[in-house]
Amino acid sequence: MDLPQLSSGERFFALLGWALALEKRYEDTLHSGLIQIEYNSRDVMDSCFGAMDAANRLGEVMGCLEQCFRDTDAITRTGTTFWVLVPMTKSDPVASKVKNIIETASMGGLDIARTDVQVHMLGDHREWLNLRGCDPHLFLDYLEALN
């Protein structure tokens, strides 16, 4: 199957698995970042906005993120957590993208606090990759457990 034919979630996980394998294989050569954006909890979203309004608001956040990133970046959402894979980059450009996300979201009326955004450079987790492999789902579970 061709990458463009995949859903955005399937595309994200395929690309994340590929980026993890590259990070594991080519130490200190390739750099990819993974941005984790927590947008409230599901309970907060449902109690403050109602289910339909919460779904609309999460859709707005996704649209905002899609505007902030390159076509080569991959975005997905699990619950109220958004993940953005920024392949082949260094930490400074990723940090500036995070700043742009927060600014763009606030202009659109979406409240994302800096404390809700974390940048994970994949190479920083090479030890985990060497022990556990390159399964993208397990890797996201591992990153969420760090918080």
Side-chain angles (χ1 to χ4, degrees):
M1 182 171 282
D2 198 359
L3 267 182
Q5 294 174 336
L6 298 176
S7 72
S8 64
E10 291 170 322
R11 179 176 174 260
F12 173 85
F13 284 106
L15 290 173
L16 179 56
W18 168 77
L20 292 171
L22 288 177
E23 286 288 344
K24 183 178 175 183
R25 184 173 182 178
Y26 299 104
E27 291 185 29
D28 300 326
T29 305
L30 304 171
H31 304 280
S32 294
L34 186 62
I35 301 170
Q36 177 182 6
I37 302 167
E38 299 282 338
Y39 190 77
N40 293 324
S41 70
R42 185 178 193 90
D43 294 336
V44 168
M45 292 295 289
D46 288 345
S47 66
C48 291
F49 302 107
M52 187 61 154
D53 216 13
N56 290 337
R57 189 160 284 258
L58 290 168
E60 289 175 33
V61 173
M62 182 64 93
C64 175
L65 293 175
E66 288 169 343
Q67 291 175 0
C68 292
F69 289 93
R70 308 170 295 189
D71 291 339
T72 55
D73 300 333
I75 304 169
T76 197
R77 176 176 66 90
T78 56
T80 58
T81 301
F82 294 86
W83 297 95
V84 183
L85 175 64
V86 185
M88 311 308 168
T89 191
K90 298 202 185 284
S91 61
D92 292 341
V94 174
S96 20
K97 282 184 183 278
V98 168
K99 183 180 175 211
N100 289 340
I101 291 167
I102 294 167
E103 290 170 3
T104 304
S106 64
M107 286 188 291
L110 301 172
D111 186 26
I112 298 173
R114 286 186 191 278
T115 56
D116 298 334
V117 179
Q118 294 188 27
V119 176
H120 307 279
M121 295 307 292
L122 300 185
D124 294 343
H125 303 280
R126 192 166 286 112
E127 184 178 326
W128 188 92
L129 292 171
N130 288 332
L131 290 173
R132 302 277 163 81
C134 300
D135 182 301
H137 296 282
L138 291 177
F139 188 70
L140 293 187
D141 291 344
Y142 155 72
L143 291 179
E144 285 184 334
L146 291 176
N147 299 332

PDB file of all heavy atoms in Angstrom, residues 24 126-133:
ATOM      1  N   LYS A  24      17.721   4.050  15.581  1.00  0.00           N
ATOM      2  CA  LYS A  24      18.395   2.912  16.211  1.00  0.00           C
ATOM      3  C   LYS A  24      19.612   2.481  15.397  1.00  0.00           C
ATOM      4  O   LYS A  24      20.661   2.172  15.941  1.00  0.00           O
ATOM      5  CB  LYS A  24      17.405   1.758  16.360  1.00  0.00           C
ATOM      6  CG  LYS A  24      17.977   0.557  17.061  1.00  0.00           C
ATOM      7  CD  LYS A  24      16.925  -0.523  17.212  1.00  0.00           C
ATOM      8  CE  LYS A  24      17.541  -1.768  17.797  1.00  0.00           C
ATOM      9  NZ  LYS A  24      16.595  -2.856  17.886  1.00  0.00           N
ATOM     10  N   ARG A 126      17.534   6.162  22.561  1.00  0.00           N
ATOM     11  CA  ARG A 126      18.174   5.044  21.857  1.00  0.00           C
ATOM     12  C   ARG A 126      18.324   3.816  22.759  1.00  0.00           C
ATOM     13  O   ARG A 126      18.179   2.685  22.306  1.00  0.00           O
ATOM     14  CB  ARG A 126      19.535   5.485  21.310  1.00  0.00           C
ATOM     15  CG  ARG A 126      20.105   4.482  20.328  1.00  0.00           C
ATOM     16  CD  ARG A 126      21.251   5.031  19.531  1.00  0.00           C
ATOM     17  NE  ARG A 126      20.765   5.969  18.513  1.00  0.00           N
ATOM     18  CZ  ARG A 126      20.998   7.285  18.546  1.00  0.00           C
ATOM     19  NH1 ARG A 126      21.717   7.806  19.501  1.00  0.00           N
ATOM     20  NH2 ARG A 126      20.528   8.062  17.608  1.00  0.00           N
ATOM     21  N   GLU A 127      18.624   4.029  24.027  1.00  0.00           N
ATOM     22  CA  GLU A 127      18.763   2.892  24.947  1.00  0.00           C
ATOM     23  C   GLU A 127      17.465   2.094  25.004  1.00  0.00           C
ATOM     24  O   GLU A 127      17.466   0.863  24.951  1.00  0.00           O
ATOM     25  CB  GLU A 127      19.157   3.380  26.343  1.00  0.00           C
ATOM     26  CG  GLU A 127      19.404   2.271  27.330  1.00  0.00           C
ATOM     27  CD  GLU A 127      19.836   2.785  28.695  1.00  0.00           C
ATOM     28  OE1 GLU A 127      20.536   3.819  28.762  1.00  0.00           O
ATOM     29  OE2 GLU A 127      19.460   2.152  29.692  1.00  0.00           O
ATOM     30  N   TRP A 128      16.329   2.795  25.104  1.00  0.00           N
ATOM     31  CA  TRP A 128      15.035   2.122  25.103  1.00  0.00           C
ATOM     32  C   TRP A 128      14.824   1.375  23.787  1.00  0.00           C
ATOM     33  O   TRP A 128      14.374   0.226  23.786  1.00  0.00           O
ATOM     34  CB  TRP A 128      13.907   3.138  25.324  1.00  0.00           C
ATOM     35  CG  TRP A 128      12.571   2.497  25.512  1.00  0.00           C
ATOM     36  CD1 TRP A 128      11.993   2.130  26.689  1.00  0.00           C
ATOM     37  CD2 TRP A 128      11.638   2.111  24.486  1.00  0.00           C
ATOM     38  NE1 TRP A 128      10.763   1.545  26.458  1.00  0.00           N
ATOM     39  CE2 TRP A 128      10.529   1.532  25.109  1.00  0.00           C
ATOM     40  CE3 TRP A 128      11.647   2.203  23.095  1.00  0.00           C
ATOM     41  CZ2 TRP A 128       9.431   1.046  24.406  1.00  0.00           C
ATOM     42  CZ3 TRP A 128      10.551   1.718  22.389  1.00  0.00           C
ATOM     43  CH2 TRP A 128       9.461   1.154  23.038  1.00  0.00           C
ATOM     44  N   LEU A 129      15.169   2.028  22.671  1.00  0.00           N
ATOM     45  CA  LEU A 129      15.010   1.400  21.354  1.00  0.00           C
ATOM     46  C   LEU A 129      15.849   0.127  21.246  1.00  0.00           C
ATOM     47  O   LEU A 129      15.393  -0.875  20.698  1.00  0.00           O
ATOM     48  CB  LEU A 129      15.404   2.374  20.238  1.00  0.00           C
ATOM     49  CG  LEU A 129      14.499   3.583  20.050  1.00  0.00           C
ATOM     50  CD1 LEU A 129      15.119   4.559  19.064  1.00  0.00           C
ATOM     51  CD2 LEU A 129      13.118   3.150  19.602  1.00  0.00           C
ATOM     52  N   ASN A 130      17.056   0.166  21.777  1.00  0.00           N
ATOM     53  CA  ASN A 130      17.932  -1.008  21.722  1.00  0.00           C
ATOM     54  C   ASN A 130      17.385  -2.156  22.566  1.00  0.00           C
ATOM     55  O   ASN A 130      17.546  -3.319  22.210  1.00  0.00           O
ATOM     56  CB  ASN A 130      19.350  -0.648  22.157  1.00  0.00           C
ATOM     57  CG  ASN A 130      20.065   0.189  21.120  1.00  0.00           C
ATOM     58  OD1 ASN A 130      19.785   0.105  19.933  1.00  0.00           O
ATOM     59  ND2 ASN A 130      20.974   1.031  21.573  1.00  0.00           N
ATOM     60  N   LEU A 131      16.725  -1.828  23.665  1.00  0.00           N
ATOM     61  CA  LEU A 131      16.166  -2.864  24.538  1.00  0.00           C
ATOM     62  C   LEU A 131      14.814  -3.377  24.055  1.00  0.00           C
ATOM     63  O   LEU A 131      14.532  -4.566  24.148  1.00  0.00           O
ATOM     64  CB  LEU A 131      16.004  -2.315  25.963  1.00  0.00           C
ATOM     65  CG  LEU A 131      17.279  -2.060  26.753  1.00  0.00           C
ATOM     66  CD1 LEU A 131      16.956  -1.364  28.066  1.00  0.00           C
ATOM     67  CD2 LEU A 131      18.001  -3.372  27.014  1.00  0.00           C
ATOM     68  N   ARG A 132      13.978  -2.470  23.575  1.00  0.00           N
ATOM     69  CA  ARG A 132      12.587  -2.824  23.292  1.00  0.00           C
ATOM     70  C   ARG A 132      12.219  -2.909  21.820  1.00  0.00           C
ATOM     71  O   ARG A 132      11.144  -3.364  21.473  1.00  0.00           O
ATOM     72  CB  ARG A 132      11.658  -1.800  23.948  1.00  0.00           C
ATOM     73  CG  ARG A 132      11.831  -1.666  25.427  1.00  0.00           C
ATOM     74  CD  ARG A 132      11.047  -2.768  26.139  1.00  0.00           C
ATOM     75  NE  ARG A 132      11.441  -2.971  27.506  1.00  0.00           N
ATOM     76  CZ  ARG A 132      11.054  -2.257  28.528  1.00  0.00           C
ATOM     77  NH1 ARG A 132      10.266  -1.233  28.345  1.00  0.00           N
ATOM     78  NH2 ARG A 132      11.460  -2.545  29.742  1.00  0.00           N
ATOM     79  N   GLY A 133      13.040  -2.398  20.940  1.00  0.00           N
ATOM     80  CA  GLY A 133      12.707  -2.442  19.515  1.00  0.00           C
ATOM     81  C   GLY A 133      12.043  -1.160  19.047  1.00  0.00           C
ATOM     82  O   GLY A 133      12.025  -0.159  19.756  1.00  0.00           O
TER      83      GLY A 133
END
